[in-house]
Amino acid sequence: MAVKKSSAVADYTKHAGSPSTRAVRWLHHLITSALVLVANFTLIPAIELHGLLFSLLADVALWPTLQLLQRTPVYPWLVDFCVRHRGWFLAFTMVPLSFAHEQYSRLRNWYHGAFLATPHLHDARVHQVQQQVWAWNQAGRKRPMVTARAPWLSVSVRVESYKDTCDKIRVNLSNILEVDTERMTVRCEPLVNMGQMTRHLIPMGYSLAVMIEMDDLTVGGLFMGVGVEVSSHIYGFLSETVHACEVVLGDGTLVRCSREENTDLFHALPWSHGTLGFLVAVELSIVRIKPYVHMKYIPCYSQDELLDKLTVLTHSSTPPPLIETTVYSKDTAVIFTGDFSDGPPADQAHRINDVSRWWKPWFYKHVESFLDRGPGEDWIPLRPYFHRHTRSIFWELREVIPISTHWWYRYVFGWMGPPKIAFIKLSSAPAIREASVFKHVVQDVVVPLRDLKDTIDLFHGAFEVYPLLLYPVRIYKQPDGLQGVLREPSHLRTEPTTGRSYEMYIDLGAYGVPPKLKRKEPWDAIKEVRRMEKFTRRRRGYQLLYADCFMTRAEFEEMFDHSLYRQCRRKYKAIGAFPEIYDKIKSKYCPASMTE
């Protein structure tokens, strides 16, 4: 896999492209304008007429029928049937549609990048966001603002949508603006996703310092929410690799913040989930890479062995650049480390393992094999490594499409890739989504590494779902008064090269259907998740907020420090302009107060 050499600075903001590119762009906009004109006078009236007729039919027949059905004994059985056998529907519909969408997206992204990408117009697009915010202020600030991005496009698994009660602002910013290989940074807009980033940076010989696995996750979501990956034991969360960002505030003001400028806002933005302003640009660290990742697999057969080996690896003065662990039972796990490599020696070429090939076993099954085989190694091409869990959506595909566990599935459907998470959400009726809350676990917690054994025991007792995903991650001590929502770690170590203090934590994730439900035994989702949340608070840990959160507001503020966050909401005019974090992430099933 050849890596192209990059220039010292690849700056895309200073030109609009070649004359041919500008000509194609002009023709594209001309055709688009003509189509819009035709649509306004023909298609839109026709669509509105059909919509009116459908609404009439729905009001007269469909909704009354559905309401009657919900009152019958058949309805719970019907919902249960749809949940149980939904995999076949997804395999025959969402998988082909996802494949078609992926091919369309690749073609569209190539066309957009070659002819329509306009990073040089970034300032104009930001101004459009500001204009919408100014208009919202002039209209009386009646409801909080959120982005207009459809909820089903996010990777969050929460059922409810807070956007229904908010005013939506279009933030269509999805360009990579500049790659500076002298400062080792990339500047981009917030809707740039990880798939775009790897396709853009890898041919240049670079990647993000914290390169997140899933293609559809966006830079903005990972910075304003949380991003953790295989290099987080060195760099921390993705937000730690951000050099600077630009934010449109609640009054329409554009501000730049960094560790030197508007530092309070800069440190308050991570985990704020878009409740302090609209992110419009981010500047992140990049690192040099090589064409392959040299993988080493280390099986562990007890919790003590796992903790000891992770402690040695993560606290080493020269830790492996990449560390991940998959926990397969209460007492067994495989640690796998990676180092960037030019490839195996000539006599080891057969050990190149392109895990993205559709006919190969899923990556987590490949890793599991080392529990029987003992320690081993291989070389994985770089981009397949970065997206090693994509084919199986970690191991969730086996729950979403149960037939995917059979070998024949890979030959019939596997070559098309997995269904897109957005399509899965879009195809889920509200009743099915709500039923999945109580019949499925998707939870991540971040706790100190020293609490690894107790956390695995808790997950085993509460969920008994395996495998578990485990990433070591540093949480750094920030300057006084700027710790953000994460509280200052209590067992600090010092990074010798930078002098920064940190504590090593782990991100432990559980995804799947609890075996108790498969055995037809009772399992209380809210009770067990609240048990996990209580444990996490007591260990000074944190719950990742893309999943269902059943904490009360008081419990939530016990877990997350709101001091700096509240100061910034007052100072930067976010009160009334944006919802609070809790109001965006709370579950509809969490009452205002709840006794232990």
Side-chain angles (χ1 to χ4, degrees):
M1 177 179 174
V3 176
K4 299 178 182 177
K5 293 183 179 180
S6 61
S7 59
V9 178
D11 186 351
Y12 304 103
T13 64
K14 298 179 180 177
H15 57 81
S18 65
S20 61
T21 299
R22 292 198 297 271
V24 172
R25 187 183 301 136
W26 175 83
L27 182 61
H28 173 92
H29 291 312
L30 181 65
I31 294 173
T32 302
S33 300
L35 290 175
V36 169
L37 186 65
V38 171
N40 284 336
F41 290 98
T42 58
L43 294 179
I44 291 179
I47 291 172
E48 289 177 347
L49 178 60
H50 281 83
L52 181 62
L53 293 174
F54 179 80
S55 297
L56 182 62
L57 177 64
D59 290 338
V60 172
L62 295 181
W63 303 139
T65 302
L66 182 59
Q67 289 173 353
L68 287 174
L69 181 63
Q70 289 176 336
R71 296 190 183 100
T72 67
V74 176
Y75 185 73
W77 175 87
L78 184 61
V79 171
D80 185 67
F81 179 85
C82 291
V83 171
R84 286 175 175 274
H85 301 284
R86 190 161 158 261
W88 287 96
F89 167 75
L90 292 175
F92 282 98
T93 57
M94 293 301 109
V95 170
L97 284 175
S98 296
F99 173 75
H101 182 271
E102 179 66 18
Q103 307 317 306
Y104 161 76
S105 296
R106 289 186 181 185
L107 180 61
R108 178 187 176 278
N109 290 341
W110 170 82
Y111 176 69
H112 189 278
F115 300 110
L116 303 182
T118 52
H120 56 287
L121 298 179
H122 169 72
D123 291 344
R125 286 193 294 273
V126 171
H127 186 67
Q128 291 175 355
V129 176
Q130 291 179 280
Q131 286 180 318
Q132 294 175 74
V133 175
W134 291 329
W136 174 84
N137 278 275
Q138 292 172 358
R141 301 168 58 95
K142 296 176 182 177
R143 302 193 301 177
M145 293 180 290
V146 295
T147 66
R149 191 169 185 243
W152 62 270
L153 288 171
S154 74
V155 181
S156 170
V157 297
R158 291 190 298 272
V159 172
E160 58 277 0
S161 174
Y162 57 88
K163 294 192 176 186
D164 293 340
T165 57
C166 298
D167 288 327
K168 300 177 180 64
I169 304 298
R170 296 184 307 279
V171 184
N172 299 321
L173 300 169
S174 57
N175 284 277
I176 295 175
L177 303 175
E178 179 184 5
V179 178
D180 188 333
T181 58
E182 290 182 349
R183 295 179 58 242
M184 295 297 287
T185 60
V186 57
R187 182 169 175 257
C188 66
E189 294 174 336
L191 290 182
V192 170
N193 64 36
M194 294 298 102
Q196 284 177 265
M197 197 64 80
T198 54
R199 281 189 287 269
H200 191 88
L201 291 178
I202 287 177
M204 299 177 67
Y206 299 91
S207 80
L208 294 182
V210 177
M211 188 72 240
I212 308 299
E213 156 77 26
M214 301 299 288
D215 276 24
D216 294 334
L217 293 171
T218 64
V219 169
L222 293 165
F223 172 49
M224 304 278 262
V226 62
V228 57
E229 254 295 340
V230 290
S231 57
S232 291
H233 64 290
I234 296 175
Y235 299 104
F237 296 114
L238 177 133
S239 55
E240 288 288 346
T241 70
V242 172
H243 290 248
C245 60
E246 298 167 21
V247 180
V248 173
L249 303 179
D251 63 352
T253 304
L254 176 66
V255 299
R256 175 182 168 85
C257 51
S258 66
R259 297 186 190 277
E260 294 79 33
E261 184 180 5
N262 294 312
T263 55
D264 52 354
L265 180 60
F266 181 78
H267 286 88
L269 284 172
W271 297 74
S272 68
H273 291 265
T275 60
L276 293 172
F278 292 117
L279 186 69
V280 293
V282 191
E283 188 177 302
L284 305 104
S285 293
I286 58 175
V287 295
R288 290 183 175 86
I289 55 171
K290 294 182 179 181
Y292 293 88
V293 175
H294 181 198
M295 301 290 293
K296 294 181 180 179
Y297 303 90
I298 308 167
C300 300
Y301 303 98
S302 71
Q303 291 183 5
D304 288 323
E305 182 183 9
L306 175 61
L307 178 58
D308 290 344
K309 288 183 175 178
L310 277 177
T311 301
V312 170
L313 286 168
T314 57
H315 290 161
S316 168
S317 58
T318 56
L322 312 167
I323 299 179
E324 182 179 355
T325 299
T326 304
V327 180
Y328 289 96
S329 73
K330 189 177 178 181
D331 297 306
T332 60
V334 178
I335 302 170
F336 40 108
T337 67
D339 201 349
F340 296 117
S341 166
D342 290 315
D347 61 344
Q348 298 289 316
H350 62 282
R351 291 196 174 185
I352 294 176
N353 180 20
D354 187 344
V355 296
S356 66
R357 300 300 185 186
W358 56 267
W359 62 81
K360 290 204 169 189
W362 290 333
F363 181 68
Y364 80 92
K365 299 299 289 184
H366 167 66
V367 173
E368 186 179 19
S369 68
F370 290 96
L371 287 172
D372 296 325
R373 291 194 281 163
E377 63 179 349
D378 58 20
W379 282 260
I380 301 178
L382 190 62
R383 195 167 191 277
Y385 170 78
F386 278 144
H387 302 290
R388 62 203 171 278
H389 293 300
T390 297
R391 284 198 305 132
S392 57
I393 317 179
F394 290 95
W395 31 88
E396 278 280 68
L397 192 61
R398 66 181 185 180
E399 308 291 2
V400 176
I401 305 179
I403 59 173
S404 64
T405 57
H406 299 287
W407 65 268
W408 56 264
Y409 175 89
R410 295 199 298 271
Y411 292 89
V412 178
F413 297 102
W415 59 272
M416 290 187 282
K420 284 190 168 292
I421 295 175
F423 282 20
I424 295 173
K425 292 173 65 176
L426 185 62
S427 65
S428 300
I432 293 177
R433 284 200 207 177
E434 295 196 16
S436 68
V437 172
F438 302 102
K439 297 184 178 182
H440 192 260
V441 176
V442 178
Q443 291 290 340
D444 278 81
V445 298
V446 175
V447 294
L449 173 61
R450 64 181 184 276
D451 293 323
L452 179 147
K453 295 193 294 182
D454 289 343
T455 309
I456 292 177
D457 288 343
L458 171 84
F459 272 49
H460 181 82
F463 310 130
E464 203 181 345
V465 168
Y466 293 99
L468 301 174
L469 181 71
L470 192 158
Y471 294 128
V473 54
R474 288 183 181 183
I475 293 185
Y476 283 96
K477 180 183 182 301
Q478 305 296 344
D480 291 343
L482 299 175
Q483 189 63 38
V485 298
L486 303 187
R487 302 181 188 279
E488 183 176 312
S490 56
H491 291 66
L492 293 173
R493 301 173 64 90
T494 301
E495 165 60 49
T497 56
T498 64
R500 295 189 68 190
S501 299
Y502 69 92
E503 182 177 356
M504 192 64 67
Y505 281 63
I506 57 167
D507 167 30
L508 190 67
Y511 322 120
V513 177
K516 284 186 177 180
L517 291 176
K518 296 179 180 179
R519 297 192 297 262
K520 308 293 186 182
E521 298 174 9
W523 181 76
D524 190 329
I526 295 178
K527 176 183 175 182
E528 297 300 348
V529 172
R530 280 186 54 76
R531 177 181 163 196
M532 178 203 75
E533 292 168 343
K534 182 177 180 179
F535 170 89
T536 305
R537 291 194 303 274
R538 290 185 171 179
R539 300 303 172 100
R540 294 177 62 86
Y542 310 97
Q543 180 184 19
L544 269 59
L545 301 178
Y546 72 91
D548 285 298
C549 170
F550 298 120
M551 287 184 282
T552 63
R553 189 181 296 271
E555 291 167 341
F556 184 75
E557 296 191 14
E558 178 188 345
M559 179 178 287
F560 294 98
D561 187 347
H562 281 54
S563 303
L564 179 63
Y565 173 73
R566 291 267 162 74
Q567 293 173 22
C568 287
R569 277 183 65 84
R570 289 191 295 269
K571 178 178 177 180
Y572 293 100
K573 305 175 180 63
I575 296 175
F578 305 100
E580 281 221 354
I581 304 174
Y582 183 76
D583 295 322
K584 290 186 72 171
I585 61 87
K586 66 180 178 181
S587 170
K588 64 187 289 186
Y589 303 106
C590 179
S593 62
M594 192 178 291
T595 57
E596 294 293 334

